[in-house]
Amino acid sequence: MSEQLKIKDGVVVSLDYTLRLDDGEVIDSSDDNEPLEYLHGYGQIIPGLEKALVGLTVGDSKTVVVPAAEAYGEVDMEAFEIVPRSMFPDDMELEEGLALSLRDAETNEPFDAAIAEVRETEVMLDFNHPLAGETLHFEVRIPALRPATAEEMSHGHAHGPDGHHH
Ligand code: ZN
């Protein structure tokens, strides 16, 4: 009998998962989708989760708690910026927590921000990842594993069933 494939670098992992925050709120899950497929050992998923999956095999399930530092990082107090209210259209309703998709005026690169605070003439923007500072609670299950192809290894990511990029 051949040895059963276990999760290690160079294995393509199918992952069913439910992601909750400390308060139990479900913020992401593979329930309604195909399992997530990723190439293990190439930083395709957050480091704390990748580390915790090593050695699991098909059919295994596990609860993994990932501290912020090994997920999307701690909240960076430098990643806040105050901009004039006039930067936004007059009729735009600004409120705390509102997610914004902005473009850099110089490079035209898109980036995300959230409104941290609305003042009379100013708005404080938060450029941290929305999950910065959060401890992540994963319930994971491994429906399938397979060795990566040479092409996937050289690209550093998993390819879909038809061999195409996701
Ligand atoms: Zn590729």
Side-chain angles (χ1 to χ4, degrees), residues 155 157 159 165:
H155 288 192
H157 53 230
H159 290 169
H165 288 133

Side-chain angles (χ1 to χ4, degrees), residues 148-155:
T149 64
E151 197 189 18
E152 287 173 318
M153 297 280 264
S154 74
H155 288 192

